[in-house]
Amino acid sequence: MERGKMAEAESLETAAEHERILREIESTDTACIGPTLRSVYDGEEHGRFMEKLETRIRNHDREIEKMCNFHYQGFVDSITELLKVRGEAQKLKNQVTDTNRKLQHEGKELVIAMEELKQCRLQQRNISATVDKLMLCLPVLEMYSKLRDQMKTKRHYPALKTLEHLEHTYLPQVSHYRFCKVMVDNIPKLREEIKDVSMSDLKDFLESIRKHSDKIGETAMKQGNDPYVAEDLVCPREEAQQQRNLDNIIFQQPRIGSKRKPKKDAYTIFDTEIGSTSPKSEQDSGILDVEDEEDDEEVPGAQDLVDFSPVYRCLHIYSVLGARETFENYYRKQRRKQARLVLQPPSNMHETLDGYRKYFNQIVGFFVVEDHILHTTQGLVNRAYIDELWEMALSKTIAALRTHSSYCSDPNLVLDLKNLIVLFADTLQVYGFPVNQLFDMLLEIRDQYSETLLKKWSGIFRNILDSDNYSPIPVTSEEIYKKVVGQFPFQDTELEKQPFPKKFPFSEFVPKVYNQIKEFIYACLKFSEDLHLSSTEVDDMIRKSTNLLLTRTLSSSLQNVIKRKNIGLTELVQIIINTTHLEKSCKYLEEFITNITNVLPETVHTTKLYGTTTFKDARHAAEEEIYTNLNQKIDQFLQLADYDWMTGDLGNKASDYLVDLIAFLRSTFAVFTHLPGKVAQTACMSACKHLATSLMQLLLEAEVRQLTLGALQQFNLDVRECERPIAFCTE
């Protein structure tokens, strides 16, 4: 039962669905009936639907048949009326045909003329439109042709301006043409090409100035101290402010009375290049050839050696293309790398002055270029960037100089290095860079210079003392006398009255040492020049260095001579005389330093010379050495003596050894007459005292030996068995 009810319900639903589809078919346009029929074929009751459809068709056929039967008479009447009208219509048709034939015959020529006129008007309109379009397209084509020529001749900045005009002014007017679309598509490629080529020029420029930095720096250092040249080398600040507009031509007027050429303005190159038809000059690589200048007297400045147009051109191109920041970052990054290369000193820089000179020239050349870029461009580099580079350069330069200057053992090289550093600092100071640290470092090098001078003068003093004969200087003529007095401040009225030949009391090393001390003072003075020191500071420096020379170098040399093993008493006596005269000359050295520094010795905090103490110490050492040597000689005479202590009759004749000793003492005391009285007296007393002590000891030893030997003989003992007790008793 339930299945029968379910089948009946499904049958009712299917019948309702078929009825709905039939109504939709009747009311829907034939073109839209496809989806409806598809829904029928998609179902499973296709046969039943066809039966329904056949039934509905038969119903409609019956209705149509009823309607036709109802209207049949009216249809017959209408056909009858149409047949009547057909005859009249045929007559009208014939009349119209005749009239049309006549009209066609009469208007044939007119139609031909009208067709010709139509064609002429069409051609005229086409020609006019073509001319108008060509008038719009020709400037575009001309500008594009000009652009290609500028790209071909490598005039990239004018090409960029041409490209801007073409894109924003001309192409929008003819944008619907296909060739214009091709041009528009090529514009980004052209921009990239201009960027790449200008960047390539910049790279060539950077590489060129890296190679020629030493030439630029050399020129700047040669002319850095000339105020007129310095003014030309540095781009004036006021003019730099006027160069901000990149599209204005600003010509810099030459200075009145100056033989130098006016510098090119930072961006003059752009607008002058637009009007030029020549290709880019080879000078765009960065360095200009200045050897072919017609005016041989004109010395090129550092900026005249460099053509900065690649930088300006590339900067402006990137600015126009909206990539200025990219360009600035690239430029600064590359210059930082170059700065690190420039600041890396060669390993053998300390060997010659040329190594230092090339190192300084490269640094100066680098910062001359950066200073020019700073004042001729707007923001490519700024003061903070320059200061950062300079701080790095200053620290690395000072570190390199400290390291390499420590290897210098030649004072002349150190002095030349100091002069080179001063020139280096003064040149960069002209460009506004702070150089106080360089002058502070020079004070450190000054101490090293003093040490190298002391080493050099140590050798000089050693050679003087080794080559001296330690004999008074003989004088045979007035000329020789004046020459010696001119070398050493000596005054003796008694010696002046003596006839020639005569002798100075001192040997040759006195004037030589005195003059070498003065030469040392001159050498110290040379280093203090151009260091911006006051006279008091210079005086203090010279006096301290001279004191080191006297108390350390000269004193050591004198002590080495005095302590020499083979030195004789005569030489020691002459050293005492020489040091006495050198001690007296110290006041003249004081006057000499005062004259060259213009600082009076009475000035507060003025350092005093310690020469008096030095020569006194040397003299005392020589005196002690005399005492020691004299005593050793006396001991040697007594030790060599072979006395016969058992002799019975001596007579009045002295021993030969004693006679020799007395003769030696007599000749030695004769030499002492040249010494100061107190020194001679002390030496004689010391010798006599030592002689007396030695003789007493000798006599005591002889008496003990004689008594012992007598006792041995009395007891018939072997002398050899008692030698050790005898020696013990003697001691």
Side-chain angles (χ1 to χ4, degrees), residues 565-584:
K565 291 183 179 181
N566 58 348
I567 191 168
L569 292 173
T570 305
E571 294 173 342
L572 291 172
V573 170
Q574 190 62 55
I575 289 175
I576 293 175
I577 297 171
N578 290 348
T579 53
T580 302
H581 287 282
L582 285 173
E583 180 183 348
K584 295 178 181 179

Side-chain angles (χ1 to χ4, degrees), residues 254-267:
R255 180 173 39 252
I256 298 175
S258 173
K259 295 183 179 181
R260 298 178 53 77
K261 297 182 295 183
K263 299 193 302 293
K264 282 188 178 182
D265 220 86
Y267 301 105

Side-chain angles (χ1 to χ4, degrees), residues 14 27 60 77 100 116 152 226 247 276 300 312 406-407 473 542 653-654 707 715 719:
T14 302
S27 61
H60 282 294
D77 294 338
N100 180 57
E116 292 178 355
K152 185 178 180 181
D226 184 352
D247 295 321
S276 173
Y312 303 142
S406 63
Y407 301 138
I473 301 176
I542 292 176
K653 185 179 179 182
L707 292 174
F715 293 103
V719 175

Side-chain angles (χ1 to χ4, degrees), residues 21-213:
I21 292 173
L22 290 174
R23 286 197 301 271
E24 187 174 347
I25 291 173
E26 291 173 350
S27 61
T28 305
D29 189 8
T30 307
C32 300
I33 202 173
T36 304
L37 295 177
R38 185 178 298 110
S39 63
V40 174
Y41 286 97
D42 289 341
E44 297 178 357
E45 302 294 336
H46 177 260
R48 294 178 63 183
F49 175 75
M50 292 302 296
E51 293 176 359
K52 288 271 188 181
L53 182 61
E54 289 292 337
T55 303
R56 183 62 61 87
I57 291 172
R58 285 195 297 270
N59 293 335
H60 282 294
D61 287 342
R62 285 194 294 269
E63 290 178 0
I64 291 171
E65 185 178 355
K66 289 179 181 180
M67 187 176 291
C68 289
N69 291 332
F70 179 75
H71 295 286
Y72 178 75
Q73 187 59 44
F75 175 74
V76 172
D77 294 338
S78 298
I79 292 300
T80 303
E81 290 180 3
L82 284 174
L83 289 175
K84 292 180 180 180
V85 173
R86 185 174 63 179
E88 298 295 329
Q90 186 64 36
K91 293 179 181 179
L92 180 61
K93 177 182 177 183
N94 293 334
Q95 292 177 358
V96 171
T97 301
D98 292 339
T99 303
N100 180 57
R101 187 172 55 254
K102 293 178 182 178
L103 180 62
Q104 291 294 331
H105 179 72
E106 296 295 334
K108 187 175 182 179
E109 295 181 358
L110 180 61
V111 170
I112 294 173
M114 290 299 295
E115 286 293 331
E116 292 178 355
L117 179 61
K118 178 182 177 182
Q119 291 296 326
C120 289
R121 291 287 177 85
L122 180 61
Q123 291 176 359
Q124 182 181 9
R125 187 168 60 252
N126 291 340
I127 291 173
S128 179
T130 302
V131 170
D132 293 340
K133 300 302 181 183
L134 286 176
M135 291 301 293
L136 290 175
C137 294
L138 279 177
V140 177
L141 297 174
E142 290 175 356
M143 290 296 289
Y144 192 78
S145 176
K146 182 180 179 181
L147 173 64
R148 300 307 301 180
D149 291 340
Q150 290 170 340
M151 294 288 292
K152 185 178 180 181
T153 55
K154 298 183 179 180
R155 295 166 54 235
H156 301 104
Y157 172 72
L160 185 62
K161 297 194 73 172
T162 302
L163 187 62
E164 293 295 321
H165 287 301
L166 182 65
E167 181 181 17
H168 298 293
T169 305
Y170 295 98
L171 285 179
Q173 300 176 5
V174 290
S175 58
H176 54 283
Y177 293 108
R178 187 171 61 184
F179 76 91
C180 293
K181 294 180 180 179
V182 175
M183 290 183 183
V184 171
D185 294 338
N186 284 334
I187 285 177
K189 299 178 182 178
L190 293 174
R191 282 202 178 96
E192 288 299 322
E193 182 179 351
I194 292 174
K195 285 177 64 176
D196 294 341
V197 175
S198 62
M199 181 57 71
S200 176
D201 292 343
L202 177 67
K203 291 178 179 178
D204 294 340
F205 169 81
L206 293 175
E207 179 65 21
S208 183
I209 61 172
R210 187 187 68 82
K211 293 180 179 178
H212 296 84
S213 288

Side-chain angles (χ1 to χ4, degrees), residues 67 92 110 119-120 139 161 164 206 265 318 332 344 377 403 429 479 486 561 588 648 651 696 700 710:
M67 187 176 291
L92 180 61
L110 180 61
Q119 291 296 326
C120 289
K161 297 194 73 172
E164 293 295 321
L206 293 175
D265 220 86
Y318 272 72
R332 295 183 184 184
Q344 185 68 32
T377 60
T403 301
Q429 195 171 25
E479 182 180 355
V561 173
Y588 298 103
M696 288 294 293
L700 178 61

Side-chain angles (χ1 to χ4, degrees), residues 404-672:
H404 287 270
S405 64
S406 63
Y407 301 138
C408 294
S409 58
D410 183 6
N412 293 328
L413 178 59
V414 178
L415 182 62
D416 292 338
L417 174 60
K418 165 256 169 184
N419 294 330
L420 194 59
I421 293 174
V422 170
L423 179 59
F424 170 72
D426 289 343
T427 302
L428 288 172
Q429 195 171 25
V430 170
Y431 290 89
F433 295 100
V435 294
N436 293 333
Q437 294 184 41
L438 288 173
F439 285 101
D440 293 340
M441 187 205 60
L442 283 175
L443 298 181
E444 299 177 15
I445 296 180
R446 178 190 65 186
D447 298 334
Q448 179 188 345
Y449 176 70
S450 296
E451 290 297 325
T452 57
L453 286 180
L454 292 175
K455 290 180 182 178
K456 178 180 178 181
W457 257 259
S458 176
I460 293 174
F461 287 148
R462 183 171 58 253
N463 293 334
I464 292 175
L465 296 176
D466 290 344
S467 62
D468 193 58
N469 57 7
Y470 295 95
S471 300
I473 301 176
V475 181
T476 58
S477 64
E478 183 71 22
E479 182 180 355
I480 298 176
Y481 183 86
K482 290 182 179 179
K483 180 180 179 181
V484 175
V485 173
Q487 293 177 348
F488 182 74
F490 176 77
Q491 294 178 353
D492 190 344
T493 54
E494 294 182 1
L495 183 62
E496 291 178 359
K497 294 177 182 179
Q498 294 179 9
F500 294 100
K502 50 187 174 182
K503 294 182 179 180
F504 284 99
F506 47 80
S507 66
E508 291 183 354
F509 95 64
V510 172
K512 289 181 179 179
V513 167
Y514 181 81
N515 281 287
Q516 285 302 322
I517 295 174
K518 292 173 64 175
E519 290 296 328
F520 180 86
I521 294 172
Y522 274 126
C524 293
L525 181 64
K526 286 181 181 179
F527 193 90
S528 64
E529 294 175 352
D530 301 323
L531 292 185
H532 311 298
L533 299 175
S534 65
S535 299
T536 305
E537 290 174 321
V538 173
D539 182 85
D540 184 68
M541 182 198 76
I542 292 176
R543 289 177 181 272
K544 287 181 178 179
S545 299
T546 307
N547 279 333
L548 286 175
L549 177 73
L550 295 174
T551 59
R552 195 172 75 184
T553 305
L554 181 55
S555 176
S556 176
S557 299
L558 289 173
Q559 293 292 338
N560 290 335
V561 173
I562 293 170
K563 299 297 181 181
R564 207 183 293 167
K565 291 183 179 181
N566 58 348
I567 191 168
L569 292 173
T570 305
E571 294 173 342
L572 291 172
V573 170
Q574 190 62 55
I575 289 175
I576 293 175
I577 297 171
N578 290 348
T579 53
T580 302
H581 287 282
L582 285 173
E583 180 183 348
K584 295 178 181 179
S585 68
C586 287
K587 63 179 182 179
Y588 298 103
L589 291 176
E590 291 271 7
E591 294 177 359
F592 176 72
I593 296 176
T594 300
N595 291 333
I596 64 176
T597 61
N598 296 321
V599 178
L600 298 177
E602 295 80 10
T603 306
V604 181
H605 304 306
T606 299
T607 305
K608 304 300 180 183
L609 290 183
Y610 301 147
T612 303
T613 305
T614 299
F615 297 124
K616 280 183 179 180
D617 293 342
R619 186 166 63 253
H620 292 160
E623 292 172 3
E624 292 295 330
E625 196 68 22
I626 287 176
Y627 304 153
T628 303
N629 287 358
L630 186 56
N631 294 339
Q632 289 176 353
K633 287 289 184 181
I634 293 173
D635 292 339
Q636 290 174 4
F637 272 102
L638 295 178
Q639 290 172 1
L640 292 173
D642 187 13
Y643 296 103
D644 185 7
W645 301 103
M646 304 302 294
T647 182
D649 185 14
L650 294 176
N652 294 325
K653 185 179 179 182
S655 173
D656 293 338
Y657 296 100
L658 188 59
V659 172
D660 293 340
L661 175 59
I662 293 173
F664 168 74
L665 292 176
R666 182 179 292 112
S667 63
T668 301
F669 292 161
V671 174
F672 287 171

